[in-house]
């Protein structure tokens, strides 16, 4: 059985906790997957940076609780239920977002799902689920919100969350790898096609972020390798940072790409992986 340990040559680099400034004051954003690790961190950050935000997630109870914790209606923070596998749910969520915000200046597509199995055991159902959420549902939501931005003539910004798995890939995650590679490619095409509408489209590719999803991956690897999931989770820490990536570190990158000052940064996939991905 392999030992899931790695020697560290440096002490872990602390997560930077800088003050938030109102760089998004007057802006209105939608965050999908808002109840998850990165989505929650991004929602908290955008609110602290002065934005009005609609939090969208399939976990209705959790996302409504988060909206309340962040100030609720009085703070311009609202929650909507969103199931990216259901076209009716997508349409209803967009209508709710517009009802709450009036105008949408930015969309962060954070919601995603990963299911693991060896390639020879990867069923059509696993492909359909992961592409349904990570690609098809995300695209349909993006299309509706981009249409709103185009019709309104005010432009906006869209940031997709892919993964370093979409660039380098990992065993036992073939459909997830492919779905995130598709997100990266879609980002480049949307950046070109939506540019005439003054809509800027970019992407981030996180590495191993300390989220419930990564813990689930470690648990699954533990089952498959008959090894300790805690040892595997420790092994998955970033070597240069000496720790896992914090959700807020991904959130900061997304917030940056949602801003007005990055118009010359278009169609890129920004690695937020602690230096793991070579391109």
């Amino acid at each position: 059985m392999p030992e899931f340990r790695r020697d560290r040559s440096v002490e872990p680099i602390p997560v930077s906790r800088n003050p938030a400034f109102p760089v998004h004051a007057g802006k209105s954003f939608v965050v999908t997957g808002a109840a998850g690790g990165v989505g929650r961190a991004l929602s908290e950050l955008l609110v602290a940076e002065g934005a009005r935000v609609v939090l969208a997630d399939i976990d209705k109870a959790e996302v409504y609780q988060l909206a309340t914790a962040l100030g609720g209606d009085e703070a311009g923070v609202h929650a909507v239920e969103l199931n990216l596998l259901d076209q009716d749910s997508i349409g209803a969520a967009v209508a709710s977002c517009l009802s709450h915000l009036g105008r949408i200046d930015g969309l962060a597509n954070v919601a995603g799902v990963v299911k693991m199995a060896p390639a020879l055991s990867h069923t059509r159902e696993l492909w359909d689920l992961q592409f349904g959420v990570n690609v098809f549902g995300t695209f349909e939501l993006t299309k509706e919100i981009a249409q709103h931005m185009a019709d309104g003539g005010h432009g906006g910004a869209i940031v997709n969350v892919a993964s370093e798995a979409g660039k380098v890939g990992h065993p036992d995650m073939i459909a997830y790898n492919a779905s995130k590679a598709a997100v990266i490619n879609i980002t480049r095409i949307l950046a070109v096609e939506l540019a005439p509408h003054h809509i800027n489209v970019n992407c981030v590719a996180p590495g191993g972020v300390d989220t419930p999803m990564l813990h689930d991956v470690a648990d699954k690897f533990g089952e498959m390798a008959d090894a300790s999931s805690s040892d595997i989770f420790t092994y998955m820490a970033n070597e240069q940072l000496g720790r896992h990536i914090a959700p807020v570190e991904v959130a900061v990158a997304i917030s940056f790409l949602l801003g007005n000052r990055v118009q010359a940064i278009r169609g890129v996939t920004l690695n937020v992986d602690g230096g793991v991905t070579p391109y």
Side-chain angles (χ1 to χ4, degrees):
M1 182 181 71
E3 290 289 332
F4 290 97
R5 294 182 175 87
R6 176 182 296 150
D7 292 333
R8 301 298 184 192
S9 58
V10 297
E11 290 295 316
I13 297 173
V15 178
S16 178
R17 303 287 182 179
N18 296 316
F21 296 96
V23 294
H24 293 307
K27 293 293 189 68
S28 298
F29 297 132
V30 177
V31 178
T32 73
V38 171
R40 180 180 296 265
L42 177 61
S43 301
E44 293 170 350
L45 178 61
L46 293 178
V47 171
E49 291 175 332
R52 300 166 62 227
V53 185
V54 169
L55 318 179
D57 200 281
I58 194 170
D59 190 335
K60 182 178 179 179
E62 192 70 21
V63 77
Y64 272 82
Q65 183 178 8
L66 177 59
T68 299
L70 292 179
D73 292 354
E74 292 185 5
V77 183
H78 312 277
V80 300
E81 185 178 9
L82 171 65
N83 180 356
L84 288 170
L85 293 174
D86 184 342
Q87 186 65 49
D88 290 338
S89 176
I90 293 171
V94 172
S96 293
C97 290
L98 292 173
S99 175
H100 287 307
L101 300 175
R103 157 177 163 164
I104 299 171
D105 298 298
L107 166 65
N109 285 309
V110 185
V113 62
V114 57
K115 295 295 181 181
M116 297 175 60
L120 295 182
S121 301
H122 234 77
T123 63
R124 177 61 180 265
E125 288 75 17
L126 291 180
W127 282 90
D128 287 345
L129 172 63
Q130 291 172 94
F131 265 74
V133 173
N134 300 345
V135 182
F136 305 143
T138 294
F139 174 72
E140 290 299 327
L141 176 71
T142 299
K143 185 170 67 172
E144 291 202 27
I145 290 181
Q147 188 66 62
H148 154 75
M149 292 175 176
D151 291 344
H154 52 76
I158 297 169
V159 181
N160 298 319
V161 176
S163 167
E164 50 87 28
K167 292 189 174 185
V168 299
H170 299 291
D172 304 312
M173 301 170 66
I174 191 168
Y176 180 76
N177 297 336
S179 72
K180 291 303 186 178
V183 171
I184 292 169
N185 190 272
I186 286 170
T187 297
R188 290 193 57 80
I189 300 307
L190 284 176
V192 174
E193 293 201 26
L194 298 181
H197 302 290
H198 296 183
I199 301 171
N200 193 8
V201 187
N202 288 292
C203 185
V204 297
V209 186
D210 188 357
T211 62
M213 177 182 284
L214 190 65
H215 281 278
D216 290 343
V217 169
D219 291 343
K220 186 63 176 180
F221 271 130
E223 294 174 9
M224 297 170 70
D226 191 23
S228 165
S229 61
S230 62
D231 282 350
I232 293 174
F233 188 78
T234 299
Y235 175 81
M236 294 166 74
N238 181 266
E239 191 166 11
Q240 294 183 43
L241 293 173
R243 58 171 171 78
H244 293 87
I245 297 162
V248 69
E249 293 175 304
V250 183
V252 167
I254 298 171
S255 172
F256 169 69
L257 292 173
L258 285 171
N260 292 334
R261 296 181 293 177
V262 295
Q263 295 303 324
I265 302 174
R266 314 185 71 85
V268 307
T269 297
L270 177 63
N271 297 329
V272 191
D273 63 355
V276 170
T277 308
Y279 67 98

